[in-house]
Amino acid sequence: MIEQFKRALGTAGNCTRFFVYHLNREAAKGKFDKKPVGSAAEAKMTFVQAYAEAMRVRDTGQHATVGLWVTADSGLFFADVDKMPQALTLDARGTEVMTMFPGAFAEWSVGKHGIHVVGTLAAPIPHGCKNDDLHLEFYTDGRGIALNIDSTPNGCMDSIHDATPLVTKYFAPRMPPTLPSNHVAASPADGEGESELMPAAAARAKVA
C-alpha cells in the first residue's frame, strides 16, 4: 500500500514537508482530533520517514497518521469537503468538487466523513478560506493535511488544474449555499472499500 500511496503523491513525495499527526478519537463528535507532533509548519521529514514514525507510534497503541504541510511554493492546492452525512459516501458537494478536479489526488479523510482533493495549480492562487455553510475549505498555503494512510488514494498530486472556478463560486465572493448537504450522490465502488471514489474513477475512464 505504501508504494501505491507514494505514486499518488507524485513529486510531492520527494519533499521534506511531511510530519506525524497523533489522532484522538472524539466519540461525541464522531471524528478524530488531530495534533501534529512538534510544529507542522517546520516539517522536515520525507513521506517514508513520516510513515515509518507513524507506524512506530501505532505500535505503542496510539492512533497516528502522516501529515503534509502545504506551502505556497509547493504549487499545491488542498480542497477539503467535510461532514458527509454517511461514512464513505459522497454527497452533492463532494461529487461537484471531485468532478472539478479529475485525476487529482483524492482520498477519504481519516474520519471517513470527508474527502481530500489535492492537485497542482495551473496558476498561483493566494487563497485560504472556509465556507462554513457548506463545510468546504480551500488552501494553497500554510495548511496541514492529515493523509489517510490506511486507504489507497485515487489520482496524483501532480495533476494540474485551474482552481479558479471553485474559489469564485464558493469562496470569493461568498455565495449562499446552492447544494443540499444531505443529498447522497455516489458511493465507493463495490469491493474497493476506502480505496475508490467513483467520480474520480469515472473521470479517469473518460480521459483514457
Side-chain angles (χ1 to χ4, degrees), residues 5 8-9 101 103-107 116-119 147 153-157 159:
F5 210 105
L9 294 174
F101 305 112
F105 174 101
E107 65 169 6
H116 300 154
V117 179
V118 186
L147 300 172
N154 289 317
C156 179
M157 292 186 184
S159 185

Side-chain angles (χ1 to χ4, degrees), residues 2 11 15-16 19 27 36 61 78 89-91 94 99 102 111 133 137 145 163 172 174 185-186 200:
I2 184 174
T11 54
C15 75
T16 53
F19 58 98
F78 168 41
T89 303
L90 291 175
D91 63 7
T99 303
D133 294 326
E137 299 179 36
I145 308 171
R174 291 295 298 274

Side-chain angles (χ1 to χ4, degrees), residues 49-164:
Q49 290 171 330
Y51 184 93
E53 177 61 15
M55 292 298 103
R56 186 195 68 76
V57 172
R58 289 184 177 192
D59 286 342
T60 68
Q62 303 176 74
H63 294 291
T65 194
V66 173
L68 170 62
W69 189 252
V70 174
T71 60
D73 60 2
S74 72
L76 297 176
F77 68 85
F78 168 41
D80 186 14
V81 186
D82 202 8
K83 294 192 176 182
M84 302 284 183
Q86 300 179 46
L88 304 179
T89 303
L90 291 175
D91 63 7
R93 300 168 303 140
T95 300
E96 181 179 29
V97 173
M98 292 284 293
T99 303
M100 283 184 169
F101 305 112
F105 174 101
E107 65 169 6
W108 294 109
S109 66
V110 293
K112 303 180 182 180
H113 281 268
I115 58 167
H116 300 154
V117 179
V118 186
T120 299
L121 291 166
I125 297 180
H127 184 82
C129 190
K130 292 183 179 181
N131 183 321
D132 292 327
D133 294 326
L134 290 177
H135 306 293
L136 300 176
E137 299 179 36
F138 180 85
Y139 301 97
T140 61
D141 186 28
R143 184 69 176 186
I145 308 171
L147 300 172
N148 187 353
I149 57 176
D150 293 313
S151 69
T152 304
N154 289 317
C156 179
M157 292 186 184
D158 288 341
S159 185
I160 300 174
H161 300 274
D162 178 9
T164 305

